[in-house]
């Protein structure tokens, strides 16, 4: 299959979005940008199309998809009942990187939810994406547009690297401004519970709903979010995360780089700009090193350093607070070990 490459500069945008919307409606698989990462979309009401997304990614069938909507109304149409907090949360955070878990009605096919009674819904924030969803006219089920287990793609060329020839089209919307996947919040438990941390933080949520929000216990016997039990986001090189206490001292990092180099490894360093220039390591900059910059660049960095053929990637960790919770969640899931 030839994968159409749809550009979105001012002269092509309208036609590209129209084409992508038509393809989705007709049951094709189309990758599209969102503010978080690129999604691999299918018409959520078309079971065959949704099944093909699982197949193309190599995604385990028990890992449900997020349904993307262009308006909160479209999400309500999928629900059995609308949770009390839904209106408040949506007013504050939609469009945006917050996915809500709610009980679904009969409109939602089982393949989308992996047979669960609940469905994940989100209204993404990029103008191109909202336009696309609006024109498609049906909700779009979409996981991230990578091969299962690989780092999520944050630009169209990363999508191509994984899926060229396997999907109908890629809509290129440039680089994703957030860079990591949405916060997933379960609204069906007695106390709202974060199943996956993202850039909408626990504190952000608690401020709006004026009550407690929990983090799901990742070690629970039955993972609340099926996706959490799989290894994720991993580069081909082995990733070593330097724990934040040590990462503060440049000498610990320099020692770690030197040790890997002397063991004959090609080393990649994924670190704030200020740490550039350590030995012979390939370098990918995490900008000013704030949690927001980490989030925006970590997946691109893992892919870029892989492409340079390094054997080991070293990355200094950051404090797990605020957006740092989500950044460290992704880094540690991708990592082989932490020092
Ligand atoms: P992805 O789209 O690949 O970033 O993954 C979406 C995440 O949301 C995965 O961790 C899923 O397991 C999770 N998810 C999707 N639907 C549900 C649901 N109904 N209940 C709990 N978690 C869900
Ligand atoms: Mg994913």
């Amino acid at each position: 299959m030839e994968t159409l490459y749809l550009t979105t500069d001012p002269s092509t945008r309208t036609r590209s979005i129209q084409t992508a919307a038509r393809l989705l409606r007709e049951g094709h698989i189309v990758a599209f940008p969102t503010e978080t990462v690129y999604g691999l979309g299918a018409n959520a009401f078309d079971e065959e199309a949704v099944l093909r997304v699982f197949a193309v990614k190599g995604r385990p069938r028990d890992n449900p998809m997020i349904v993307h909507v262009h308006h909160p109304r479209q999400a309500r149409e999928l629900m059995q009942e609308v949770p009390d907090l839904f209106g408040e949360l949506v007013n504050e955070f939609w469009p945006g990187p917050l996915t809500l878990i709610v009980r679904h009605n009969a409109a939602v096919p089982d393949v989308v939810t992996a047979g669960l009674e609940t469905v994940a819904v989100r209204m993404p924030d990029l103008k191109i994406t909202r336009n696309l969803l609006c024109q498609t006219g049906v909700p779009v089920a979409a996981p991230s547009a990578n091969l299962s287990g690989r780092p999520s793609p944050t630009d169209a060329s990363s999508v191509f690297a994984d899926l060229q020839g396997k999907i109908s089209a890629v809509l290129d919307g440039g680089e994703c401004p957030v860079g990591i996947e949405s916060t997933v919040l379960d609204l069906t438990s007695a106390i709202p519970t974060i199943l996956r941390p993202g850039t909408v933080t626990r504190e952000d949520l608690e401020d709006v709903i004026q009550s407690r929000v929990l983090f799901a216990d990742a070690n629970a016997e039955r993972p609340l979010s099926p996706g959490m039990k799989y290894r994720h986001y991993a580069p081909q090189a082995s990733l070593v995360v330097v724990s934040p206490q040590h990462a503060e001292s440049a000498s610990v990092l320099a020692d770690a780089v030197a040790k890997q180099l002397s063991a004959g490894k090609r080393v990649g360093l994924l670190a704030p700009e200020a740490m550039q220039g350590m030995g012979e390591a390939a370098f990918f900059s995490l900008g000013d090193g704030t949690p927001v910059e980490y989030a925006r660049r970590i997946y691109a960095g893992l892919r870029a350093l892989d492409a340079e053929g390094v054997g080991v990637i070293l990355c200094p960790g950051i404090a797990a607070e605020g957006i740092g919770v989500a950044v460290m969640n992704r880094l540690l899931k991708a990592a082989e070990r932490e020092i």
Side-chain angles (χ1 to χ4, degrees):
M1 165 188 310
E2 197 187 332
T3 301
L4 262 183
Y5 179 74
L6 301 168
T7 56
T8 56
D9 45 75
S11 64
T12 56
R13 187 177 302 149
T14 307
R15 280 203 54 190
S16 287
I17 293 174
Q18 272 170 3
T19 304
R22 177 177 52 74
L23 287 170
L24 281 169
R25 264 198 315 276
E26 290 174 353
H28 289 271
I29 309 301
V30 176
F32 62 96
T34 78
E35 79 278 35
T36 59
V37 302
Y38 275 69
L40 189 60
N43 175 348
F45 295 144
D46 183 335
E47 296 192 30
E48 269 178 42
V50 174
L51 280 171
R52 255 182 290 128
V53 173
F54 280 102
V56 157
K57 272 186 66 100
R59 183 176 174 97
R61 283 281 302 280
D62 67 351
N63 192 1
M65 290 180 191
I66 295 173
V67 175
H68 296 74
V69 297
H70 76 266
H71 193 282
R73 190 186 338 108
Q74 202 179 21
R76 286 172 192 265
E77 286 167 8
L78 306 174
M79 296 181 200
Q80 196 175 86
E81 75 260 329
V82 179
D84 291 341
L85 295 172
F86 181 77
E88 255 174 288
L89 287 167
V90 155
N91 274 341
E92 184 68 25
F93 297 109
W94 279 14
L98 177 66
T99 295
L100 298 171
I101 305 290
V102 297
R103 272 180 237 290
H104 67 78
N105 61 25
V108 182
D110 276 347
V111 276
V112 172
T113 65
L116 297 174
E117 288 173 0
T118 55
V119 66
V121 285
R122 176 167 107 83
M123 178 179 169
D125 188 26
L126 284 190
K127 215 170 149 193
I128 291 175
T129 320
R130 290 164 65 187
N131 237 315
L132 171 69
L133 292 170
C134 198
Q135 288 193 40
T136 303
V138 289
V140 172
S144 47
N146 51 293
L147 291 175
S148 239
R150 300 263 302 131
S152 297
T154 54
D155 60 22
S157 63
S158 301
V159 177
F160 257 103
D162 279 15
L163 300 173
Q164 184 167 24
K166 297 183 175 164
I167 60 177
S168 294
V170 178
L171 183 65
D172 185 354
E175 287 177 18
C176 302
V178 172
I180 58 172
E181 304 83 350
S182 57
T183 304
V184 176
L185 182 70
D186 185 359
L187 290 182
T188 67
S189 46
I191 301 174
T193 303
I194 294 174
L195 304 185
R196 175 176 73 186
T199 57
V200 173
T201 65
R202 174 195 219 163
E203 295 76 21
D204 295 338
L205 293 164
E206 287 181 338
D207 274 354
V208 168
I209 64 177
Q210 287 293 304
S211 73
R212 212 150 57 99
V213 170
L214 303 177
F215 279 114
D217 178 3
N219 301 316
E221 216 165 89
R222 188 184 66 91
L224 286 168
S225 186
M228 296 205 312
K229 65 176 184 273
Y230 296 106
R231 184 158 188 248
H232 261 89
Y233 323 121
Q236 267 135 24
S238 49
L239 171 68
V240 178
V241 175
V242 180
S243 75
Q245 307 90 285
H246 297 311
E248 300 263 306
S249 95
S251 71
V252 171
L253 203 63
D255 283 353
V257 170
K259 207 167 137 205
Q260 296 288 347
L261 286 170
S262 66
K265 294 259 176 65
R266 291 190 62 194
V267 181
L269 184 60
L270 179 60
E273 187 66 36
M275 293 184 177
Q276 189 159 12
M278 276 183 204
E280 296 291 293
F283 187 79
F284 189 94
S285 172
L286 294 173
D288 60 10
T290 55
V292 168
E293 282 301 290
Y294 260 74
R296 203 161 70 77
R297 299 176 191 226
I298 44 178
Y299 289 143
L302 293 175
R303 282 177 176 269
L305 291 170
D306 260 349
E308 292 202 34
V310 303
V312 58
I313 299 172
L314 290 166
C315 178
I318 56 174
E321 44 189 58
I323 292 175
V325 174
V327 167
M328 287 306 284
N329 168 271
R330 303 310 192 278
L331 276 178
L332 292 177
K333 268 184 193 265
E336 202 169 85
R337 63 200 167 91
E338 188 182 15
I339 53 172

